[in-house]
Amino acid sequence: MIWADRLFALLALLAGVLAAAMMVVTTVDVGGRYFFNRPLHGAFEATEVMMGLIVFLALPLATRRREHITVTLFDHLLPERVKRAAGLVFGLVCAAVCGLLAWRLGLYGERLLRVGEVTLELGIPRGGVATAMSWLLWVAAAAFVLDGLAALRGRPGATAGG
């Protein structure tokens, strides 16, 4: 799925851009605090939001590239067929967990948008952030499904545990 891999790479690039922006915000905040006794207004909130988004933006590509921590204690004892089936089951279970989390986070985001919840200093709509994270969890769920299907097809290095 070349289109999916490109989407995941784009999301990871956006995570990198946010990480760079977070670095600039932190540098300006610390410099302002120590040299001018004037910290950057809203730096903590901006960093908090960016940090959350970075995690959810990078998750689909980390999943697709199989960069999660895995433990393969008994992998070498299993027949190839069982490893493939287990890889599919693992991918589908992880996709279901991501889907459940995405659904619940989406409901929470809707509720926050409905009541107009915003951050204290910058007024960032918390519901919008939660909704974006929900969409990104749906993308991560799709990445887990693709990963499970790749394991079933016998992708080299695919294991039951991830």
Side-chain angles (χ1 to χ4, degrees):
M1 294 274 163
I2 292 174
W3 63 268
D5 291 330
R6 287 184 180 162
L7 171 64
F8 302 154
L10 175 64
L11 293 176
L13 177 66
L14 290 173
V17 168
L18 279 181
M22 196 167 58
M23 181 179 63
V24 169
V25 166
T26 302
T27 301
V28 170
D29 182 47
V30 170
R33 183 178 314 275
Y34 286 107
F35 296 120
F36 305 109
N37 200 25
R38 301 220 13 120
L40 183 63
H41 176 75
F44 176 77
E45 280 183 4
T47 301
E48 182 179 52
V49 169
M50 287 188 277
M51 182 65 74
L53 289 173
I54 286 169
V55 170
F56 288 92
L57 282 165
L59 183 59
L61 186 63
T63 299
R64 188 71 172 136
R65 289 187 178 172
R66 305 184 55 75
E67 294 176 343
H68 299 293
I69 296 172
T70 59
V71 178
T72 55
L73 295 176
F74 303 107
D75 194 52
H76 65 285
L77 301 174
L78 298 175
E80 188 61 32
R81 212 170 178 196
V82 173
K83 285 193 250 183
R84 288 180 182 190
L88 174 64
V89 169
F90 179 79
L92 294 178
V93 167
C94 289
V97 169
C98 280
L100 177 66
L101 291 172
W103 170 61
R104 295 300 304 166
L105 189 55
L107 291 176
Y108 183 62
E110 286 177 15
R111 187 174 22 177
L112 291 174
L113 285 170
R114 194 171 44 252
V115 298
E117 181 77 24
V118 295
T119 60
L120 292 174
E121 291 184 31
L122 299 177
I124 300 169
R126 290 185 186 270
V129 174
T131 301
M133 290 174 175
S134 171
W135 294 342
L136 293 166
L137 273 171
W138 284 116
V139 175
F144 275 114
V145 169
L146 293 174
D147 189 55
L149 293 173
L152 186 63
R153 288 191 305 268
R155 177 193 55 227
T159 62

